[in-house]
Amino acid sequence: MSTRQKVTSTELKQIIQQRLGSAVFVTIHRNAQLGFTATVVAPIKAVGAQQAVDAIVQDPRLAYELVDLKAHSSVSDR
């Protein structure tokens, strides 16, 4: 059983964007090996933002488990 907090992709985006400290657009994708990945969608000038996000997501991967929004609302409604 996982002890990680269950969060949606929207919540993960907010956590990552807050840690990044900038207004880049981040998408979250489920990944079988890592749990999830985060991708920066930004102009070519923001290439350093993806490297920063790659470093930032290391801690959240240990603390959070990505869940589907539908499943998350069912669990929290109980």
Coordinates of all heavy atoms in Angstrom, one line a residue:
M1 N 0.8 -1.2 0.0 CA 0.0 0.0 0.0 C 0.9 1.3 0.0 O 1.8 1.3 0.7 CB -0.9 0.0 1.2 CG -1.8 1.2 1.3 SD -3.1 0.9 2.6 CE -4.3 1.9 1.9
S2 N 0.5 2.2 -0.8 CA 1.3 3.4 -1.0 C 1.0 4.4 0.2 O -0.1 4.6 0.6 CB 1.0 4.1 -2.3 OG 1.7 5.3 -2.4
T3 N 2.1 5.0 0.7 CA 1.9 6.0 1.7 C 2.0 7.4 1.1 O 1.9 8.4 1.9 CB 3.0 5.9 2.8 OG1 4.3 6.0 2.2 CG2 2.9 4.6 3.5
R4 N 2.1 7.5 -0.2 CA 2.1 8.8 -0.9 C 0.7 9.4 -0.9 O -0.2 8.7 -1.0 CB 2.7 8.6 -2.3 CG 4.2 8.2 -2.3 CD 4.7 8.0 -3.6 NE 3.9 7.0 -4.3 CZ 4.0 6.8 -5.6 NH1 4.7 7.6 -6.4 NH2 3.3 5.8 -6.2
Q5 N 0.7 10.7 -0.8 CA -0.6 11.4 -0.9 C -1.1 11.3 -2.4 O -0.3 11.5 -3.3 CB -0.4 12.9 -0.5 CG -1.6 13.7 -0.6 CD -1.4 15.2 -0.2 OE1 -0.3 15.5 0.4 NE2 -2.3 16.0 -0.5
K6 N -2.4 11.1 -2.5 CA -3.0 11.0 -3.9 C -3.3 12.4 -4.3 O -4.0 13.1 -3.6 CB -4.2 10.1 -3.8 CG -3.8 8.6 -3.5 CD -5.0 7.7 -3.5 CE -4.8 6.3 -3.0 NZ -3.7 5.7 -3.6
V7 N -2.9 12.7 -5.5 CA -3.2 14.1 -6.1 C -3.5 13.9 -7.6 O -3.1 13.0 -8.2 CB -2.0 15.0 -5.9 CG1 -1.8 15.4 -4.5 CG2 -0.8 14.5 -6.6
T8 N -4.3 14.9 -8.1 CA -4.6 14.9 -9.5 C -3.5 15.6 -10.3 O -2.6 16.2 -9.7 CB -6.0 15.7 -9.7 OG1 -5.8 17.0 -9.3 CG2 -7.1 15.0 -8.9
S9 N -3.6 15.5 -11.6 CA -2.6 16.2 -12.4 C -2.7 17.7 -12.3 O -1.7 18.4 -12.3 CB -2.8 15.8 -13.9 OG -4.1 16.2 -14.4
T10 N -3.9 18.2 -12.0 CA -4.0 19.7 -11.8 C -3.3 20.1 -10.5 O -2.6 21.1 -10.5 CB -5.5 20.0 -11.7 OG1 -6.2 19.7 -12.9 CG2 -5.7 21.5 -11.4
E11 N -3.4 19.3 -9.5 CA -2.7 19.6 -8.2 C -1.2 19.5 -8.4 O -0.5 20.3 -7.9 CB -3.2 18.6 -7.1 CG -4.7 18.9 -6.7 CD -5.3 17.8 -5.9 OE1 -5.0 16.6 -6.1 OE2 -6.0 18.1 -4.9
L12 N -0.8 18.5 -9.1 CA 0.7 18.3 -9.4 C 1.2 19.5 -10.2 O 2.3 20.0 -9.9 CB 1.0 17.0 -10.1 CG 1.1 15.8 -9.3 CD1 1.1 14.5 -10.2 CD2 2.2 15.8 -8.3
K13 N 0.5 20.0 -11.2 CA 0.9 21.1 -12.0 C 1.1 22.3 -11.0 O 2.1 23.0 -11.2 CB -0.2 21.5 -13.0 CG -0.1 20.6 -14.3 CD -0.9 21.2 -15.3 CE -2.3 20.6 -15.4 NZ -3.1 20.9 -16.5
Q14 N 0.1 22.5 -10.1 CA 0.2 23.7 -9.2 C 1.4 23.6 -8.3 O 2.1 24.6 -8.1 CB -1.1 23.8 -8.4 CG -2.3 24.2 -9.2 CD -3.6 24.1 -8.4 OE1 -3.6 23.4 -7.4 NE2 -4.6 24.7 -8.9
I15 N 1.7 22.4 -7.8 CA 2.9 22.2 -6.9 C 4.2 22.5 -7.7 O 5.0 23.2 -7.2 CB 2.9 20.7 -6.4 CG1 1.7 20.5 -5.4 CG2 4.2 20.4 -5.8 CD1 1.4 19.0 -5.2
I16 N 4.3 21.9 -8.9 CA 5.5 22.1 -9.7 C 5.6 23.6 -10.1 O 6.7 24.1 -10.0 CB 5.5 21.2 -10.9 CG1 5.6 19.7 -10.4 CG2 6.6 21.5 -11.9 CD1 5.3 18.7 -11.5
Q17 N 4.6 24.2 -10.6 CA 4.6 25.6 -11.0 C 5.0 26.5 -9.8 O 5.8 27.5 -10.0 CB 3.3 26.1 -11.6 CG 3.2 25.5 -13.0 CD 1.8 25.8 -13.6 OE1 0.8 25.8 -13.0 NE2 1.8 25.9 -15.0
Q18 N 4.5 26.2 -8.6 CA 4.8 27.0 -7.4 C 6.3 26.8 -7.1 O 7.0 27.8 -6.8 CB 4.0 26.5 -6.2 CG 4.3 27.3 -5.0 CD 3.4 26.8 -3.8 OE1 3.0 25.7 -3.8 NE2 3.2 27.7 -2.9
R19 N 6.9 25.6 -7.2 CA 8.3 25.4 -6.9 C 9.2 26.0 -8.0 O 10.3 26.5 -7.7 CB 8.6 23.9 -6.8 CG 8.0 23.3 -5.5 CD 8.4 21.9 -5.4 NE 7.7 21.3 -4.2 CZ 7.9 20.2 -3.7 NH1 8.9 19.4 -4.3 NH2 7.3 19.7 -2.7
L20 N 8.7 26.0 -9.2 CA 9.4 26.6 -10.3 C 9.5 28.1 -10.2 O 10.5 28.7 -10.6 CB 8.8 26.2 -11.7 CG 9.5 26.6 -12.9 CD1 10.9 26.0 -13.0 CD2 8.8 26.1 -14.2
G21 N 8.4 28.7 -9.7 CA 8.4 30.1 -9.5 C 8.2 30.9 -10.8 O 8.6 32.1 -10.9
S22 N 7.7 30.3 -11.8 CA 7.5 31.1 -13.1 C 6.2 30.6 -13.7 O 5.6 29.6 -13.3 CB 8.6 30.9 -14.1 OG 8.6 29.7 -14.6
A23 N 5.7 31.4 -14.7 CA 4.4 31.1 -15.3 C 4.5 30.3 -16.5 O 3.9 30.6 -17.5 CB 3.7 32.5 -15.5
V24 N 5.3 29.2 -16.5 CA 5.3 28.4 -17.7 C 4.2 27.4 -17.6 O 3.6 27.1 -16.5 CB 6.6 27.6 -17.8 CG1 7.8 28.5 -18.0 CG2 6.9 26.7 -16.7
F25 N 3.7 26.9 -18.7 CA 2.7 25.9 -18.8 C 3.3 24.5 -18.7 O 4.2 24.1 -19.4 CB 1.9 26.0 -20.1 CG 0.7 25.1 -20.2 CD1 -0.5 25.4 -19.4 CD2 0.7 24.0 -20.9 CE1 -1.5 24.5 -19.5 CE2 -0.4 23.1 -21.0 CZ -1.5 23.4 -20.2
V26 N 2.8 23.7 -17.7 CA 3.3 22.4 -17.5 C 2.2 21.4 -17.7 O 1.1 21.6 -17.2 CB 3.8 22.2 -16.0 CG1 4.3 20.8 -15.7 CG2 4.9 23.3 -15.8
T27 N 2.5 20.3 -18.4 CA 1.5 19.2 -18.5 C 2.1 18.0 -17.7 O 3.3 17.7 -17.7 CB 1.3 18.8 -20.0 OG1 2.5 18.3 -20.6 CG2 0.7 19.9 -20.8
I28 N 1.2 17.2 -17.2 CA 1.5 16.0 -16.4 C 1.1 14.8 -17.1 O -0.1 14.7 -17.6 CB 0.8 16.1 -15.0 CG1 1.2 17.3 -14.3 CG2 1.2 14.8 -14.2 CD1 2.6 17.5 -13.9
H29 N 1.9 13.8 -17.2 CA 1.6 12.5 -17.9 C 1.9 11.3 -17.0 O 3.0 11.3 -16.3 CB 2.4 12.4 -19.2 CG 2.3 13.6 -20.1 ND1 1.3 13.8 -20.9 CD2 3.1 14.7 -20.2 CE1 1.4 14.9 -21.6 NE2 2.5 15.5 -21.2
R30 N 1.1 10.4 -17.0 CA 1.3 9.1 -16.2 C 2.5 8.4 -16.9 O 2.6 8.4 -18.1 CB 0.1 8.3 -16.3 CG 0.1 7.1 -15.3 CD -1.2 6.3 -15.3 NE -2.3 7.2 -14.9 CZ -2.6 7.5 -13.6 NH1 -1.8 7.1 -12.6 NH2 -3.6 8.3 -13.3
N31 N 3.4 7.8 -16.0 CA 4.5 7.1 -16.5 C 4.6 5.8 -15.7 O 4.7 5.9 -14.4 CB 5.8 7.9 -16.4 CG 7.0 7.2 -16.8 OD1 7.4 6.3 -16.2 ND2 7.6 7.8 -17.9
A32 N 4.7 4.7 -16.3 CA 4.7 3.4 -15.6 C 5.9 3.2 -14.7 O 5.7 2.7 -13.6 CB 4.6 2.2 -16.6
Q33 N 7.0 3.7 -15.1 CA 8.2 3.5 -14.3 C 8.4 4.6 -13.2 O 8.8 4.3 -12.1 CB 9.5 3.5 -15.1 CG 9.6 2.3 -16.0 CD 10.8 2.3 -16.9 OE1 11.2 3.4 -17.3 NE2 11.4 1.2 -17.1
L34 N 8.1 5.8 -13.6 CA 8.3 7.0 -12.7 C 7.1 7.4 -11.9 O 7.2 8.2 -10.9 CB 8.8 8.2 -13.5 CG 10.1 7.9 -14.2 CD1 10.5 9.1 -15.1 CD2 11.3 7.7 -13.3
G35 N 5.9 7.0 -12.3 CA 4.7 7.5 -11.7 C 4.0 8.6 -12.5 O 2.9 8.5 -12.9
F36 N 4.8 9.6 -12.8 CA 4.4 10.7 -13.7 C 5.6 11.4 -14.2 O 6.7 11.3 -13.6 CB 3.4 11.6 -13.0 CG 4.1 12.4 -11.9 CD1 4.7 13.6 -12.1 CD2 4.0 11.9 -10.6 CE1 5.3 14.3 -11.1 CE2 4.6 12.6 -9.5 CZ 5.2 13.8 -9.8
T37 N 5.4 12.1 -15.3 CA 6.4 13.0 -15.8 C 5.8 14.4 -16.0 O 4.5 14.5 -16.1 CB 7.0 12.6 -17.2 OG1 6.0 12.4 -18.1 CG2 7.7 11.3 -17.1
A38 N 6.6 15.4 -16.0 CA 6.1 16.8 -16.2 C 6.8 17.4 -17.4 O 8.0 17.3 -17.5 CB 6.3 17.6 -15.0
T39 N 6.0 17.9 -18.4 CA 6.6 18.5 -19.6 C 6.3 20.0 -19.7 O 5.1 20.4 -19.5 CB 6.0 17.8 -20.8 OG1 6.3 16.4 -20.7 CG2 6.7 18.3 -22.1
V40 N 7.3 20.8 -19.9 CA 7.0 22.2 -20.1 C 6.6 22.5 -21.5 O 7.3 22.0 -22.5 CB 8.3 23.0 -19.8 CG1 8.2 24.5 -20.1 CG2 8.7 22.8 -18.3
V41 N 5.6 23.2 -21.7 CA 5.1 23.7 -23.0 C 5.4 25.2 -23.1 O 4.7 26.0 -22.4 CB 3.6 23.4 -23.2 CG1 3.2 23.8 -24.6 CG2 3.3 21.9 -23.0
A42 N 6.5 25.5 -23.8 CA 6.9 26.9 -23.8 C 7.7 27.2 -25.0 O 8.1 26.3 -25.7 CB 7.8 27.2 -22.5
P43 N 7.9 28.5 -25.3 CA 8.8 28.8 -26.5 C 10.2 28.3 -26.3 O 10.6 28.0 -25.2 CB 8.8 30.3 -26.5 CG 7.7 30.8 -25.5 CD 7.4 29.6 -24.6
I44 N 10.9 28.2 -27.4 CA 12.3 27.6 -27.4 C 13.2 28.4 -26.4 O 14.1 27.8 -25.9 CB 12.8 27.6 -28.9 CG1 14.1 26.8 -28.9 CG2 13.1 29.0 -29.3 CD1 13.9 25.3 -28.9
K45 N 12.9 29.7 -26.2 CA 13.7 30.4 -25.3 C 13.7 29.9 -23.8 O 14.5 30.1 -23.0 CB 13.2 31.9 -25.2 CG 13.4 32.6 -26.5 CD 12.8 34.0 -26.4 CE 12.8 34.7 -27.7 NZ 12.1 36.0 -27.6
A46 N 12.6 29.1 -23.5 CA 12.4 28.6 -22.2 C 13.0 27.2 -22.0 O 12.5 26.5 -21.2 CB 11.0 28.7 -21.8
V47 N 14.0 26.8 -22.8 CA 14.5 25.5 -22.8 C 15.0 25.1 -21.4 O 14.9 24.0 -20.9 CB 15.6 25.3 -23.9 CG1 17.0 25.5 -23.4 CG2 15.5 23.9 -24.5
G48 N 15.5 26.1 -20.6 CA 16.0 25.8 -19.3 C 14.9 25.5 -18.3 O 15.1 24.9 -17.3
A49 N 13.7 25.9 -18.7 CA 12.5 25.6 -17.8 C 12.3 24.1 -17.7 O 12.0 23.6 -16.6 CB 11.3 26.3 -18.3
Q50 N 12.5 23.3 -18.8 CA 12.3 21.9 -18.7 C 13.3 21.2 -17.8 O 13.0 20.3 -17.0 CB 12.3 21.2 -20.1 CG 12.1 19.7 -20.1 CD 10.7 19.4 -19.6 OE1 9.7 19.9 -20.1 NE2 10.6 18.5 -18.6
Q51 N 14.6 21.7 -17.9 CA 15.6 21.1 -17.0 C 15.3 21.4 -15.6 O 15.5 20.6 -14.7 CB 17.0 21.7 -17.4 CG 17.4 21.3 -18.8 CD 18.6 22.0 -19.3 OE1 18.8 23.2 -18.9 NE2 19.3 21.4 -20.2
A52 N 14.8 22.6 -15.3 CA 14.4 23.0 -13.9 C 13.2 22.1 -13.4 O 13.3 21.6 -12.3 CB 14.0 24.4 -13.8
V53 N 12.2 21.9 -14.3 CA 11.1 21.0 -13.9 C 11.6 19.6 -13.7 O 11.1 18.9 -12.8 CB 10.0 21.1 -15.0 CG1 9.0 20.0 -14.8 CG2 9.3 22.4 -14.9
D54 N 12.5 19.1 -14.5 CA 13.0 17.7 -14.4 C 13.6 17.6 -13.0 O 13.5 16.5 -12.3 CB 14.0 17.4 -15.5 CG 13.3 17.2 -16.8 OD1 12.1 17.0 -16.9 OD2 14.1 17.3 -17.8
A55 N 14.3 18.6 -12.5 CA 14.9 18.5 -11.2 C 13.9 18.7 -10.1 O 14.0 18.0 -9.1 CB 16.0 19.6 -11.1
I56 N 12.9 19.5 -10.3 CA 11.9 19.8 -9.3 C 11.0 18.6 -9.0 O 10.6 18.3 -7.9 CB 11.0 21.0 -9.7 CG1 11.8 22.3 -9.6 CG2 9.7 21.1 -8.9 CD1 11.2 23.5 -10.2
V57 N 10.7 17.8 -10.0 CA 9.7 16.7 -9.9 C 10.3 15.5 -9.1 O 9.5 14.6 -8.7 CB 9.1 16.2 -11.2 CG1 8.4 17.2 -11.9 CG2 10.2 15.6 -12.1
Q58 N 11.6 15.5 -8.8 CA 12.2 14.4 -8.1 C 11.5 14.2 -6.7 O 11.1 13.1 -6.4 CB 13.7 14.5 -7.9 CG 14.4 14.6 -9.2 CD 14.2 13.4 -10.1 OE1 14.2 12.3 -9.7 NE2 13.9 13.7 -11.4
D59 N 11.4 15.3 -5.9 CA 10.7 15.2 -4.6 C 9.2 14.8 -4.7 O 8.8 14.0 -4.0 CB 11.0 16.4 -3.8 CG 12.4 16.6 -3.3 OD1 13.1 15.5 -3.2 OD2 12.9 17.7 -3.1
P60 N 8.5 15.5 -5.5 CA 7.0 15.2 -5.6 C 6.8 13.7 -6.0 O 5.8 13.2 -5.6 CB 6.5 16.2 -6.7 CG 7.4 17.4 -6.6 CD 8.8 16.8 -6.3
R61 N 7.7 13.2 -6.8 CA 7.5 11.7 -7.2 C 7.5 10.8 -6.0 O 6.8 9.8 -6.0 CB 8.5 11.3 -8.2 CG 8.2 11.7 -9.6 CD 9.2 11.1 -10.6 NE 9.0 11.6 -11.9 CZ 9.9 12.1 -12.7 NH1 11.2 12.1 -12.3 NH2 9.7 12.5 -13.9
L62 N 8.3 11.2 -5.0 CA 8.4 10.4 -3.8 C 7.2 10.7 -2.8 O 6.8 9.8 -2.1 CB 9.7 10.7 -3.0 CG 10.9 10.4 -3.8 CD1 12.2 10.9 -3.0 CD2 11.0 8.9 -4.1
A63 N 6.6 11.9 -2.9 CA 5.6 12.3 -2.0 C 4.2 12.1 -2.5 O 3.2 12.0 -1.7 CB 5.8 13.8 -1.6
Y64 N 4.0 12.1 -3.8 CA 2.6 12.1 -4.4 C 2.4 11.0 -5.3 O 3.4 10.6 -6.1 CB 2.4 13.5 -5.1 CG 2.5 14.7 -4.2 CD1 3.6 15.5 -4.3 CD2 1.6 14.9 -3.2 CE1 3.7 16.6 -3.5 CE2 1.7 16.0 -2.4 CZ 2.8 16.9 -2.5 OH 2.9 18.0 -1.7
E65 N 1.2 10.5 -5.4 CA 0.8 9.5 -6.3 C -0.2 10.1 -7.3 O -1.3 10.7 -6.8 CB 0.2 8.3 -5.6 CG -0.3 7.2 -6.6 CD -0.9 6.1 -5.8 OE1 -0.8 6.0 -4.6 OE2 -1.5 5.2 -6.5
L66 N 0.0 10.1 -8.6 CA -1.0 10.6 -9.5 C -2.2 9.7 -9.6 O -2.1 8.5 -9.8 CB -0.3 10.8 -10.9 CG -1.2 11.3 -12.0 CD1 -1.7 12.7 -11.7 CD2 -0.4 11.2 -13.3
V67 N -3.4 10.3 -9.4 CA -4.6 9.6 -9.6 C -5.5 10.3 -10.6 O -5.3 11.5 -10.8 CB -5.4 9.5 -8.2 CG1 -4.6 8.6 -7.2 CG2 -5.7 10.8 -7.6
D68 N -6.4 9.6 -11.2 CA -7.4 10.2 -12.1 C -8.3 11.1 -11.3 O -8.7 10.8 -10.2 CB -8.2 9.1 -12.8 CG -7.3 8.3 -13.7 OD1 -6.3 8.8 -14.3 OD2 -7.6 7.1 -13.9
L69 N -8.7 12.2 -11.9 CA -9.6 13.1 -11.3 C -10.9 12.4 -10.8 O -11.4 12.6 -9.7 CB -10.0 14.3 -12.2 CG -10.8 15.4 -11.6 CD1 -10.1 16.0 -10.4 CD2 -11.0 16.5 -12.7
K70 N -11.5 11.5 -11.6 CA -12.7 10.8 -11.3 C -12.5 10.0 -10.1 O -13.3 10.0 -9.1 CB -13.2 10.0 -12.5 CG -14.6 9.5 -12.4 CD -14.9 8.8 -13.7 CE -16.4 8.9 -14.0 NZ -16.7 8.2 -15.2
A71 N -11.4 9.2 -10.0 CA -11.1 8.3 -8.9 C -10.8 9.1 -7.7 O -11.2 8.8 -6.6 CB -9.9 7.4 -9.2
H72 N -10.2 10.3 -7.8 CA -9.8 11.1 -6.7 C -11.1 11.7 -6.0 O -11.2 11.7 -4.8 CB -8.9 12.2 -7.2 CG -8.4 13.1 -6.1 ND1 -7.5 12.7 -5.1 CD2 -8.6 14.4 -5.8 CE1 -7.2 13.6 -4.3 NE2 -7.9 14.7 -4.6
S73 N -12.0 12.1 -6.8 CA -13.3 12.7 -6.2 C -14.1 11.6 -5.5 O -14.7 11.8 -4.5 CB -14.2 13.4 -7.2 OG -13.8 13.3 -8.5
S74 N -14.1 10.4 -6.1 CA -14.8 9.3 -5.4 C -14.2 9.0 -4.0 O -14.9 8.8 -3.1 CB -14.7 8.0 -6.2 OG -15.2 8.3 -7.5
V75 N -12.9 9.0 -4.0 CA -12.2 8.7 -2.7 C -12.4 9.8 -1.7 O -12.7 9.6 -0.5 CB -10.7 8.5 -2.9 CG1 -9.9 8.4 -1.6 CG2 -10.5 7.2 -3.7
S76 N -12.3 11.1 -2.1 CA -12.5 12.2 -1.2 C -13.9 12.4 -0.8 O -14.2 13.0 0.2 CB -11.9 13.5 -1.8 OG -12.6 13.8 -3.0
D77 N -14.9 11.9 -1.6 CA -16.3 12.0 -1.2 C -16.7 11.1 -0.1 O -17.8 11.2 0.4 CB -17.2 11.8 -2.4 CG -17.1 13.0 -3.4 OD1 -16.6 14.0 -3.0 OD2 -17.4 12.8 -4.6
R78 N -15.9 10.1 0.2 CA -16.3 9.0 1.2 C -16.1 9.5 2.6 O -15.4 10.3 3.0 CB -15.4 7.8 1.0 CG -15.8 7.1 -0.3 CD -14.9 5.9 -0.4 NE -15.1 5.3 -1.8 CZ -14.4 4.4 -2.3 NH1 -13.4 3.9 -1.7 NH2 -14.6 4.0 -3.5

